[in-house]
Amino acid sequence: AEQKPRPLEFLSVIDNSGSICGTSLAQAKARLIYALARLQPNDRFNVIRFDNTMTLVFPDSVPADSEHLDQARAFVSALEAQGGTEMVPAMQAALHDGGVSDNSYVRQVVFLTDGAIGNEQQLFDTISAMRGRSRIFMVGIGSAPNTFLMTRAAELGRGTFTHIGSVDQVEDHMRGLFAKLENPAVTGLSVTFSDAKADLTPAILPDVYRGEPLVLAAKLDQLKGDMEI
């Protein structure tokens, strides 16, 4: 309870493709602007937008000071829905980690999209290959986001999937998500079985956050020995 949270390196990715129009884009922008307002001066951040093209607001993560935050908010506010949906390059950009050995920051990627893509496996392969020390939190945009893609991407990225169905729910849901992001209780978990061979899912265990259980399933060749987490 007395431990101060580590500073964040916060990478936010927002989908502004043509499938995200009207209310859905308004939701996404509101969520991202809320997220930026939660950052502290000792945090670092960047914002990436994508359709069939991609833009990074800053070449690399920058301090969450008033000048950089104002630039990011202005950029987000001006976004309009257009183009196709090429999610993989944006995910690659978010997971590219120049400070790979800097564990003083908790590196978190919040990815806002409806998941309207056809190459889901390519996205999953990208996360598996590049996740490193990043944690990926998928946030569903619109009334019917691609729940399979969101859930699987979050599982591979040791994060969670949050769906917010209306603009009215943005602040409540995002407050809950960030209360969780800011307070990981246990990280770097693994599980071993002393005498049994196990087929385990999820194969990479997620972090544990306050008020949430660790849930895993294992198929064992024999009910014998100890399990150690």
Side-chain angles (χ1 to χ4, degrees):
E2 297 175 359
Q3 184 177 351
K4 291 183 178 180
R6 284 188 291 162
L8 300 180
E9 183 179 0
F10 178 76
L11 290 301
S12 189
V13 184
I14 183 168
D15 183 345
N16 70 293
S17 61
S19 64
I20 309 273
C21 57
T23 303
S24 294
L25 184 59
Q27 285 179 37
K29 290 161 71 168
R31 294 172 204 183
L32 181 45
I33 288 171
Y34 175 85
L36 294 174
R38 295 279 302 221
L39 295 175
Q40 301 300 310
N42 59 338
D43 295 333
R44 298 179 63 81
F45 81 103
N46 204 350
V47 175
I48 302 166
R49 67 107 219 135
F50 74 95
D51 42 44
N52 57 308
T53 63
M54 180 185 69
T55 305
L56 284 78
V57 177
F58 307 105
D60 204 350
S61 296
V62 295
D65 55 35
S66 57
E67 181 181 351
H68 288 123
L69 288 170
D70 285 346
Q71 285 182 254
R73 280 190 285 263
F75 177 87
V76 172
S77 297
L79 288 175
E80 297 180 358
Q82 58 187 4
T85 308
E86 293 290 339
M87 196 179 297
V88 172
M91 182 65 81
Q92 290 172 335
L95 294 179
H96 176 71
D97 185 3
V100 70
S101 62
D102 186 359
N103 290 318
S104 60
Y105 287 85
V106 178
R107 195 173 201 273
Q108 296 173 334
V109 175
V110 173
F111 205 105
L112 302 102
T113 181
D114 63 353
I117 63 169
N119 57 337
E120 293 170 343
Q121 189 58 49
Q122 188 180 357
L123 182 74
F124 301 154
D125 292 345
T126 296
I127 294 171
S128 296
M130 296 185 64
R131 64 189 156 215
R133 65 191 176 105
S134 302
R135 304 299 194 259
I136 300 170
F137 298 86
M138 304 297 292
V139 180
I141 296 171
S143 58
N146 184 337
T147 302
F148 167 73
L149 178 137
M150 301 285 200
T151 303
R152 181 63 176 151
E155 179 183 305
L156 290 169
R158 294 165 294 189
T160 59
F161 163 47
T162 303
H163 176 222
I164 306 171
S166 72
V167 174
D168 296 339
Q169 299 174 330
V170 167
E171 186 168 340
D172 285 345
H173 282 63
M174 290 299 280
R175 186 186 299 116
L177 175 62
F178 274 84
K180 182 164 60 180
L181 263 61
E182 291 161 5
N183 291 283
V186 187
T187 62
L189 286 163
S190 63
V191 60
T192 56
F193 295 84
S194 62
D195 298 317
K197 292 182 179 178
D199 181 10
L200 184 71
T201 184
I204 306 247
L205 297 188
D207 297 336
V208 174
Y209 292 86
R210 292 192 308 185
E212 293 197 355
L214 170 66
V215 180
L216 57 90
K219 181 180 180 181
L220 308 177
D221 63 341
Q222 55 183 343
L223 288 174
K224 184 181 177 183
D226 299 322
M227 177 181 74
E228 181 179 355
I229 296 175

Short mmCIF file of all heavy atoms in Angstrom, two decimals, residues 102-162:
data_model
loop_
_atom_site.label_atom_id
_atom_site.label_comp_id
_atom_site.label_asym_id
_atom_site.label_seq_id
_atom_site.Cartn_x
_atom_site.Cartn_y
_atom_site.Cartn_z
N ASP A 102 15.40 -0.36 -19.90
CA ASP A 102 15.00 0.61 -18.88
C ASP A 102 13.74 0.13 -18.17
O ASP A 102 12.63 0.41 -18.58
CB ASP A 102 14.75 1.98 -19.54
CG ASP A 102 14.48 3.06 -18.50
OD1 ASP A 102 14.47 2.74 -17.29
OD2 ASP A 102 14.27 4.21 -18.89
N ASN A 103 13.94 -0.60 -17.08
CA ASN A 103 12.81 -1.15 -16.34
C ASN A 103 12.30 -0.20 -15.27
O ASN A 103 11.47 -0.60 -14.44
CB ASN A 103 13.20 -2.50 -15.72
CG ASN A 103 13.37 -3.57 -16.78
OD1 ASN A 103 12.57 -3.65 -17.71
ND2 ASN A 103 14.42 -4.37 -16.66
N SER A 104 12.80 1.03 -15.25
CA SER A 104 12.26 1.99 -14.30
C SER A 104 10.86 2.45 -14.70
O SER A 104 10.10 2.96 -13.86
CB SER A 104 13.19 3.20 -14.18
OG SER A 104 13.33 3.85 -15.43
N TYR A 105 10.50 2.27 -15.98
CA TYR A 105 9.17 2.63 -16.48
C TYR A 105 8.34 1.38 -16.72
O TYR A 105 8.85 0.36 -17.20
CB TYR A 105 9.27 3.41 -17.79
CG TYR A 105 9.76 4.83 -17.64
CD1 TYR A 105 11.12 5.12 -17.60
CD2 TYR A 105 8.87 5.88 -17.55
CE1 TYR A 105 11.58 6.43 -17.46
CE2 TYR A 105 9.31 7.20 -17.41
CZ TYR A 105 10.66 7.46 -17.37
OH TYR A 105 11.10 8.73 -17.23
N VAL A 106 7.04 1.47 -16.41
CA VAL A 106 6.09 0.43 -16.80
C VAL A 106 5.61 0.78 -18.20
O VAL A 106 4.97 1.82 -18.40
CB VAL A 106 4.90 0.37 -15.83
CG1 VAL A 106 3.90 -0.68 -16.28
CG2 VAL A 106 5.39 0.05 -14.42
N ARG A 107 5.92 -0.08 -19.19
CA ARG A 107 5.62 0.25 -20.58
C ARG A 107 4.25 -0.33 -20.97
O ARG A 107 4.07 -1.55 -21.00
CB ARG A 107 6.71 -0.30 -21.50
CG ARG A 107 6.66 0.29 -22.90
CD ARG A 107 7.88 -0.14 -23.73
NE ARG A 107 8.10 0.77 -24.84
CZ ARG A 107 7.50 0.64 -26.02
NH1 ARG A 107 6.65 -0.35 -26.24
NH2 ARG A 107 7.75 1.52 -26.99
N GLN A 108 3.30 0.54 -21.28
CA GLN A 108 1.94 0.11 -21.57
C GLN A 108 1.47 0.68 -22.90
O GLN A 108 1.69 1.86 -23.20
CB GLN A 108 1.00 0.55 -20.45
CG GLN A 108 1.34 -0.10 -19.11
CD GLN A 108 0.53 0.43 -17.95
OE1 GLN A 108 0.06 1.57 -17.99
NE2 GLN A 108 0.37 -0.37 -16.92
N VAL A 109 0.84 -0.19 -23.68
CA VAL A 109 0.27 0.20 -24.97
C VAL A 109 -1.25 0.11 -24.87
O VAL A 109 -1.80 -0.97 -24.56
CB VAL A 109 0.77 -0.72 -26.11
CG1 VAL A 109 0.08 -0.39 -27.43
CG2 VAL A 109 2.29 -0.62 -26.24
N VAL A 110 -1.95 1.22 -25.08
CA VAL A 110 -3.41 1.22 -25.12
C VAL A 110 -3.82 1.42 -26.58
O VAL A 110 -3.48 2.42 -27.20
CB VAL A 110 -4.00 2.32 -24.22
CG1 VAL A 110 -5.52 2.42 -24.41
CG2 VAL A 110 -3.68 2.01 -22.75
N PHE A 111 -4.55 0.44 -27.12
CA PHE A 111 -4.84 0.35 -28.55
C PHE A 111 -6.35 0.49 -28.74
O PHE A 111 -7.12 -0.40 -28.36
CB PHE A 111 -4.35 -0.99 -29.07
CG PHE A 111 -4.02 -1.02 -30.54
CD1 PHE A 111 -2.70 -1.02 -30.97
CD2 PHE A 111 -5.03 -1.07 -31.49
CE1 PHE A 111 -2.39 -1.06 -32.33
CE2 PHE A 111 -4.73 -1.10 -32.85
CZ PHE A 111 -3.40 -1.10 -33.27
N LEU A 112 -6.81 1.60 -29.33
CA LEU A 112 -8.23 1.87 -29.52
C LEU A 112 -8.62 1.59 -30.97
O LEU A 112 -8.14 2.25 -31.89
CB LEU A 112 -8.53 3.34 -29.19
CG LEU A 112 -8.18 3.82 -27.78
CD1 LEU A 112 -6.88 4.62 -27.79
CD2 LEU A 112 -9.29 4.69 -27.22
N THR A 113 -9.53 0.62 -31.18
CA THR A 113 -9.92 0.22 -32.53
C THR A 113 -11.22 -0.58 -32.49
O THR A 113 -11.62 -1.07 -31.43
CB THR A 113 -8.81 -0.64 -33.18
OG1 THR A 113 -9.21 -1.01 -34.51
CG2 THR A 113 -8.56 -1.91 -32.38
N ASP A 114 -11.87 -0.71 -33.65
CA ASP A 114 -12.99 -1.65 -33.75
C ASP A 114 -12.52 -3.01 -34.25
O ASP A 114 -13.28 -3.96 -34.31
CB ASP A 114 -14.10 -1.10 -34.65
CG ASP A 114 -13.66 -0.90 -36.11
OD1 ASP A 114 -12.46 -1.07 -36.41
OD2 ASP A 114 -14.52 -0.56 -36.95
N GLY A 115 -11.23 -3.11 -34.61
CA GLY A 115 -10.65 -4.39 -35.02
C GLY A 115 -11.15 -4.88 -36.37
O GLY A 115 -11.18 -6.09 -36.61
N ALA A 116 -11.53 -3.97 -37.26
CA ALA A 116 -12.09 -4.37 -38.56
C ALA A 116 -10.98 -4.68 -39.55
O ALA A 116 -10.72 -3.92 -40.48
CB ALA A 116 -13.00 -3.27 -39.09
N ILE A 117 -10.28 -5.80 -39.34
CA ILE A 117 -9.22 -6.22 -40.25
C ILE A 117 -9.40 -7.69 -40.61
O ILE A 117 -10.10 -8.43 -39.93
CB ILE A 117 -7.81 -6.02 -39.65
CG1 ILE A 117 -7.61 -6.89 -38.39
CG2 ILE A 117 -7.56 -4.57 -39.33
CD1 ILE A 117 -6.18 -6.94 -37.91
N GLY A 118 -8.75 -8.11 -41.70
CA GLY A 118 -8.85 -9.50 -42.12
C GLY A 118 -7.62 -10.31 -41.79
O GLY A 118 -7.66 -11.54 -41.85
N ASN A 119 -6.50 -9.66 -41.45
CA ASN A 119 -5.24 -10.38 -41.21
C ASN A 119 -4.96 -10.49 -39.71
O ASN A 119 -3.93 -10.04 -39.21
CB ASN A 119 -4.08 -9.71 -41.94
CG ASN A 119 -3.91 -8.24 -41.54
OD1 ASN A 119 -4.85 -7.62 -41.08
ND2 ASN A 119 -2.71 -7.73 -41.73
N GLU A 120 -5.90 -11.07 -38.98
CA GLU A 120 -5.78 -11.15 -37.52
C GLU A 120 -4.51 -11.88 -37.10
O GLU A 120 -3.82 -11.46 -36.17
CB GLU A 120 -7.02 -11.86 -36.94
CG GLU A 120 -8.30 -11.06 -37.10
CD GLU A 120 -9.52 -11.88 -36.74
OE1 GLU A 120 -9.41 -13.13 -36.68
OE2 GLU A 120 -10.60 -11.29 -36.53
N GLN A 121 -4.19 -13.00 -37.79
CA GLN A 121 -3.04 -13.80 -37.38
C GLN A 121 -1.74 -13.01 -37.50
O GLN A 121 -0.84 -13.17 -36.67
CB GLN A 121 -2.96 -15.09 -38.21
CG GLN A 121 -1.91 -16.08 -37.69
CD GLN A 121 -2.17 -16.48 -36.25
OE1 GLN A 121 -3.28 -16.86 -35.90
NE2 GLN A 121 -1.14 -16.42 -35.41
N GLN A 122 -1.64 -12.15 -38.49
CA GLN A 122 -0.44 -11.33 -38.64
C GLN A 122 -0.28 -10.40 -37.45
O GLN A 122 0.84 -10.18 -36.96
CB GLN A 122 -0.49 -10.52 -39.94
CG GLN A 122 0.82 -9.80 -40.25
CD GLN A 122 0.76 -9.01 -41.55
OE1 GLN A 122 -0.25 -9.02 -42.27
NE2 GLN A 122 1.83 -8.29 -41.85
N LEU A 123 -1.39 -9.86 -36.95
CA LEU A 123 -1.32 -9.01 -35.76
C LEU A 123 -0.87 -9.83 -34.55
O LEU A 123 -0.01 -9.38 -33.79
CB LEU A 123 -2.69 -8.38 -35.48
CG LEU A 123 -2.70 -7.43 -34.28
CD1 LEU A 123 -2.02 -6.12 -34.62
CD2 LEU A 123 -4.13 -7.17 -33.82
N PHE A 124 -1.42 -11.03 -34.39
CA PHE A 124 -1.04 -11.88 -33.26
C PHE A 124 0.45 -12.23 -33.33
O PHE A 124 1.15 -12.23 -32.31
CB PHE A 124 -1.88 -13.15 -33.24
CG PHE A 124 -3.36 -12.92 -33.13
CD1 PHE A 124 -4.27 -13.85 -33.63
CD2 PHE A 124 -3.87 -11.77 -32.53
CE1 PHE A 124 -5.64 -13.64 -33.52
CE2 PHE A 124 -5.24 -11.55 -32.42
CZ PHE A 124 -6.12 -12.48 -32.93
N ASP A 125 0.93 -12.55 -34.53
CA ASP A 125 2.35 -12.89 -34.70
C ASP A 125 3.24 -11.70 -34.35
O ASP A 125 4.32 -11.87 -33.76
CB ASP A 125 2.62 -13.35 -36.14
CG ASP A 125 1.97 -14.69 -36.47
OD1 ASP A 125 1.55 -15.41 -35.53
OD2 ASP A 125 1.85 -15.00 -37.66
N THR A 126 2.81 -10.50 -34.72
CA THR A 126 3.57 -9.29 -34.41
C THR A 126 3.69 -9.10 -32.90
O THR A 126 4.77 -8.81 -32.37
CB THR A 126 2.89 -8.06 -35.04
OG1 THR A 126 2.92 -8.18 -36.46
CG2 THR A 126 3.59 -6.76 -34.63
N ILE A 127 2.57 -9.27 -32.19
CA ILE A 127 2.59 -9.11 -30.73
C ILE A 127 3.51 -10.15 -30.10
O ILE A 127 4.33 -9.84 -29.23
CB ILE A 127 1.17 -9.22 -30.17
CG1 ILE A 127 0.31 -8.04 -30.65
CG2 ILE A 127 1.19 -9.26 -28.64
CD1 ILE A 127 -1.16 -8.17 -30.34
N SER A 128 3.39 -11.41 -30.54
CA SER A 128 4.21 -12.48 -29.96
C SER A 128 5.70 -12.20 -30.16
O SER A 128 6.52 -12.46 -29.28
CB SER A 128 3.84 -13.83 -30.58
OG SER A 128 2.51 -14.17 -30.27
N ALA A 129 6.06 -11.67 -31.33
CA ALA A 129 7.46 -11.44 -31.66
C ALA A 129 8.04 -10.19 -31.00
O ALA A 129 9.23 -10.14 -30.69
CB ALA A 129 7.64 -11.35 -33.18
N MET A 130 7.21 -9.16 -30.78
CA MET A 130 7.73 -7.85 -30.40
C MET A 130 7.31 -7.37 -29.02
O MET A 130 7.73 -6.29 -28.60
CB MET A 130 7.30 -6.80 -31.44
CG MET A 130 7.84 -7.00 -32.83
SD MET A 130 7.40 -5.63 -33.94
CE MET A 130 8.27 -4.23 -33.18
N ARG A 131 6.51 -8.14 -28.28
CA ARG A 131 5.92 -7.58 -27.05
C ARG A 131 6.97 -7.17 -26.01
O ARG A 131 6.79 -6.20 -25.30
CB ARG A 131 4.92 -8.56 -26.42
CG ARG A 131 5.54 -9.84 -25.96
CD ARG A 131 4.50 -10.88 -25.56
NE ARG A 131 5.10 -12.20 -25.68
CZ ARG A 131 4.46 -13.29 -26.07
NH1 ARG A 131 3.18 -13.21 -26.37
NH2 ARG A 131 5.08 -14.43 -26.16
N GLY A 132 8.10 -7.91 -25.91
CA GLY A 132 9.15 -7.51 -24.98
C GLY A 132 8.60 -7.23 -23.60
O GLY A 132 7.88 -8.03 -23.02
N ARG A 133 8.89 -6.02 -23.08
CA ARG A 133 8.41 -5.64 -21.75
C ARG A 133 7.09 -4.88 -21.80
O ARG A 133 6.58 -4.43 -20.76
CB ARG A 133 9.47 -4.79 -21.03
CG ARG A 133 9.74 -3.45 -21.68
CD ARG A 133 10.96 -2.76 -21.10
NE ARG A 133 11.23 -1.52 -21.81
CZ ARG A 133 10.97 -0.29 -21.34
NH1 ARG A 133 10.46 -0.15 -20.13
NH2 ARG A 133 11.24 0.78 -22.06
N SER A 134 6.51 -4.72 -23.00
CA SER A 134 5.26 -3.98 -23.15
C SER A 134 4.07 -4.80 -22.66
O SER A 134 4.06 -6.03 -22.75
CB SER A 134 5.03 -3.58 -24.61
OG SER A 134 6.09 -2.80 -25.11
N ARG A 135 3.04 -4.10 -22.18
CA ARG A 135 1.75 -4.69 -21.86
C ARG A 135 0.73 -4.02 -22.76
O ARG A 135 0.73 -2.79 -22.92
CB ARG A 135 1.38 -4.47 -20.39
CG ARG A 135 2.41 -4.99 -19.38
CD ARG A 135 2.62 -6.50 -19.51
NE ARG A 135 3.32 -7.08 -18.38
CZ ARG A 135 4.61 -7.39 -18.36
NH1 ARG A 135 5.37 -7.12 -19.42
NH2 ARG A 135 5.15 -7.97 -17.30
N ILE A 136 -0.16 -4.82 -23.37
CA ILE A 136 -1.08 -4.30 -24.38
C ILE A 136 -2.51 -4.35 -23.86
O ILE A 136 -3.01 -5.40 -23.46
CB ILE A 136 -0.97 -5.11 -25.69
CG1 ILE A 136 0.45 -5.03 -26.24
CG2 ILE A 136 -1.98 -4.60 -26.73
CD1 ILE A 136 0.72 -5.99 -27.38
N PHE A 137 -3.17 -3.18 -23.87
CA PHE A 137 -4.55 -3.07 -23.41
C PHE A 137 -5.42 -2.64 -24.60
O PHE A 137 -5.25 -1.54 -25.12
CB PHE A 137 -4.64 -2.06 -22.27
CG PHE A 137 -3.83 -2.48 -21.07
CD1 PHE A 137 -2.47 -2.18 -21.00
CD2 PHE A 137 -4.40 -3.21 -20.05
CE1 PHE A 137 -1.71 -2.59 -19.91
CE2 PHE A 137 -3.64 -3.62 -18.96
CZ PHE A 137 -2.30 -3.32 -18.89
N MET A 138 -6.30 -3.52 -25.03
CA MET A 138 -7.16 -3.26 -26.17
C MET A 138 -8.45 -2.60 -25.68
O MET A 138 -9.07 -3.06 -24.72
CB MET A 138 -7.49 -4.56 -26.90
CG MET A 138 -6.28 -5.36 -27.36
SD MET A 138 -5.24 -4.51 -28.59
CE MET A 138 -6.33 -4.46 -30.02
N VAL A 139 -8.85 -1.51 -26.36
CA VAL A 139 -10.08 -0.81 -26.02
C VAL A 139 -10.98 -0.80 -27.25
O VAL A 139 -10.60 -0.30 -28.30
CB VAL A 139 -9.79 0.63 -25.55
CG1 VAL A 139 -11.09 1.35 -25.20
CG2 VAL A 139 -8.86 0.63 -24.34
N GLY A 140 -12.16 -1.42 -27.11
CA GLY A 140 -13.08 -1.58 -28.24
C GLY A 140 -13.87 -0.32 -28.52
O GLY A 140 -14.45 0.29 -27.62
N ILE A 141 -13.91 0.08 -29.80
CA ILE A 141 -14.63 1.26 -30.25
C ILE A 141 -15.91 0.81 -30.95
O ILE A 141 -15.89 -0.14 -31.74
CB ILE A 141 -13.78 2.09 -31.22
CG1 ILE A 141 -12.54 2.63 -30.51
CG2 ILE A 141 -14.59 3.25 -31.80
CD1 ILE A 141 -11.55 3.28 -31.45
N GLY A 142 -17.02 1.49 -30.69
CA GLY A 142 -18.27 1.22 -31.41
C GLY A 142 -19.11 0.16 -30.73
O GLY A 142 -18.74 -0.43 -29.72
N SER A 143 -20.27 -0.11 -31.33
CA SER A 143 -21.25 -1.00 -30.71
C SER A 143 -20.89 -2.47 -30.86
O SER A 143 -21.33 -3.31 -30.06
CB SER A 143 -22.63 -0.76 -31.32
OG SER A 143 -22.59 -0.97 -32.73
N ALA A 144 -20.09 -2.83 -31.86
CA ALA A 144 -19.78 -4.25 -32.08
C ALA A 144 -18.34 -4.43 -32.53
O ALA A 144 -18.07 -4.78 -33.69
CB ALA A 144 -20.74 -4.82 -33.14
N PRO A 145 -17.38 -4.21 -31.64
CA PRO A 145 -15.98 -4.40 -32.02
C PRO A 145 -15.66 -5.88 -32.21
O PRO A 145 -16.43 -6.75 -31.80
CB PRO A 145 -15.21 -3.82 -30.83
CG PRO A 145 -16.13 -3.98 -29.68
CD PRO A 145 -17.51 -3.81 -30.24
N ASN A 146 -14.52 -6.16 -32.85
CA ASN A 146 -14.07 -7.54 -33.08
C ASN A 146 -13.56 -8.11 -31.76
O ASN A 146 -12.39 -8.00 -31.42
CB ASN A 146 -12.96 -7.52 -34.14
CG ASN A 146 -12.49 -8.91 -34.52
OD1 ASN A 146 -12.65 -9.87 -33.76
ND2 ASN A 146 -11.90 -9.03 -35.70
N THR A 147 -14.48 -8.75 -31.03
CA THR A 147 -14.16 -9.22 -29.67
C THR A 147 -13.09 -10.30 -29.69
O THR A 147 -12.22 -10.33 -28.81
CB THR A 147 -15.43 -9.74 -28.98
OG1 THR A 147 -16.41 -8.70 -28.96
CG2 THR A 147 -15.15 -10.17 -27.56
N PHE A 148 -13.11 -11.18 -30.68
CA PHE A 148 -12.09 -12.23 -30.75
C PHE A 148 -10.71 -11.62 -30.89
O PHE A 148 -9.78 -11.97 -30.17
CB PHE A 148 -12.35 -13.18 -31.92
CG PHE A 148 -11.18 -14.07 -32.23
CD1 PHE A 148 -10.85 -15.13 -31.39
CD2 PHE A 148 -10.38 -13.84 -33.35
CE1 PHE A 148 -9.75 -15.94 -31.66
CE2 PHE A 148 -9.27 -14.65 -33.62
CZ PHE A 148 -8.97 -15.71 -32.77
N LEU A 149 -10.56 -10.68 -31.83
CA LEU A 149 -9.25 -10.05 -32.03
C LEU A 149 -8.80 -9.32 -30.78
O LEU A 149 -7.65 -9.43 -30.35
CB LEU A 149 -9.33 -9.09 -33.22
CG LEU A 149 -8.01 -8.34 -33.50
CD1 LEU A 149 -7.74 -8.28 -34.99
CD2 LEU A 149 -8.06 -6.92 -32.95
N MET A 150 -9.71 -8.56 -30.18
CA MET A 150 -9.36 -7.76 -29.00
C MET A 150 -8.92 -8.65 -27.83
O MET A 150 -7.90 -8.39 -27.18
CB MET A 150 -10.57 -6.94 -28.55
CG MET A 150 -11.09 -6.00 -29.58
SD MET A 150 -10.03 -4.57 -29.76
CE MET A 150 -11.17 -3.47 -30.54
N THR A 151 -9.69 -9.69 -27.57
CA THR A 151 -9.40 -10.56 -26.43
C THR A 151 -8.09 -11.29 -26.62
O THR A 151 -7.26 -11.39 -25.70
CB THR A 151 -10.55 -11.57 -26.24
OG1 THR A 151 -11.78 -10.86 -26.09
CG2 THR A 151 -10.33 -12.43 -25.02
N ARG A 152 -7.86 -11.83 -27.83
CA ARG A 152 -6.64 -12.59 -28.09
C ARG A 152 -5.41 -11.68 -28.09
O ARG A 152 -4.36 -12.04 -27.54
CB ARG A 152 -6.77 -13.31 -29.44
CG ARG A 152 -5.56 -14.15 -29.83
CD ARG A 152 -5.33 -15.28 -28.87
NE ARG A 152 -4.22 -16.14 -29.30
CZ ARG A 152 -3.45 -16.82 -28.48
NH1 ARG A 152 -3.66 -16.76 -27.16
NH2 ARG A 152 -2.48 -17.58 -28.93
N ALA A 153 -5.53 -10.49 -28.67
CA ALA A 153 -4.40 -9.55 -28.68
C ALA A 153 -4.03 -9.14 -27.26
O ALA A 153 -2.85 -9.07 -26.92
CB ALA A 153 -4.74 -8.32 -29.52
N ALA A 154 -5.03 -8.90 -26.42
CA ALA A 154 -4.76 -8.53 -25.04
C ALA A 154 -4.12 -9.69 -24.27
O ALA A 154 -3.21 -9.49 -23.46
CB ALA A 154 -6.05 -8.09 -24.35
N GLU A 155 -4.59 -10.91 -24.54
CA GLU A 155 -4.01 -12.09 -23.87
C GLU A 155 -2.54 -12.25 -24.24
O GLU A 155 -1.68 -12.44 -23.37
CB GLU A 155 -4.79 -13.34 -24.25
CG GLU A 155 -4.27 -14.62 -23.63
CD GLU A 155 -5.04 -15.85 -24.11
OE1 GLU A 155 -6.26 -15.87 -23.98
OE2 GLU A 155 -4.38 -16.77 -24.64
N LEU A 156 -2.23 -12.15 -25.52
CA LEU A 156 -0.84 -12.27 -25.97
C LEU A 156 0.01 -11.13 -25.41
O LEU A 156 1.21 -11.31 -25.15
CB LEU A 156 -0.78 -12.26 -27.50
CG LEU A 156 -1.33 -13.50 -28.20
CD1 LEU A 156 -1.45 -13.26 -29.70
CD2 LEU A 156 -0.44 -14.71 -27.94
N GLY A 157 -0.59 -9.97 -25.22
CA GLY A 157 0.14 -8.81 -24.72
C GLY A 157 0.10 -8.66 -23.22
O GLY A 157 0.51 -7.61 -22.70
N ARG A 158 -0.40 -9.67 -22.51
CA ARG A 158 -0.44 -9.66 -21.03
C ARG A 158 -1.21 -8.45 -20.51
O ARG A 158 -0.88 -7.85 -19.49
CB ARG A 158 0.97 -9.67 -20.45
CG ARG A 158 1.74 -10.94 -20.71
CD ARG A 158 3.22 -10.78 -20.46
NE ARG A 158 3.81 -9.84 -21.40
CZ ARG A 158 5.12 -9.63 -21.54
NH1 ARG A 158 5.96 -10.28 -20.77
NH2 ARG A 158 5.58 -8.78 -22.41
N GLY A 159 -2.30 -8.11 -21.22
CA GLY A 159 -3.13 -6.98 -20.80
C GLY A 159 -4.59 -7.39 -20.71
O GLY A 159 -4.90 -8.54 -20.42
N THR A 160 -5.49 -6.44 -20.98
CA THR A 160 -6.91 -6.71 -20.89
C THR A 160 -7.64 -6.07 -22.06
O THR A 160 -7.10 -5.19 -22.75
CB THR A 160 -7.51 -6.15 -19.58
OG1 THR A 160 -7.28 -4.73 -19.53
CG2 THR A 160 -6.89 -6.81 -18.36
N PHE A 161 -8.89 -6.49 -22.27
CA PHE A 161 -9.77 -5.91 -23.29
C PHE A 161 -10.91 -5.20 -22.58
O PHE A 161 -11.56 -5.76 -21.71
CB PHE A 161 -10.30 -7.01 -24.21
CG PHE A 161 -11.51 -6.59 -25.03
CD1 PHE A 161 -11.52 -5.39 -25.72
CD2 PHE A 161 -12.62 -7.42 -25.12
CE1 PHE A 161 -12.63 -5.00 -26.46
CE2 PHE A 161 -13.72 -7.05 -25.87
CZ PHE A 161 -13.73 -5.83 -26.54
N THR A 162 -11.13 -3.93 -22.95
CA THR A 162 -12.23 -3.14 -22.40
C THR A 162 -13.11 -2.67 -23.54
O THR A 162 -12.62 -2.13 -24.53
CB THR A 162 -11.70 -1.89 -21.65
OG1 THR A 162 -10.81 -2.32 -20.61
CG2 THR A 162 -12.83 -1.09 -21.04
#
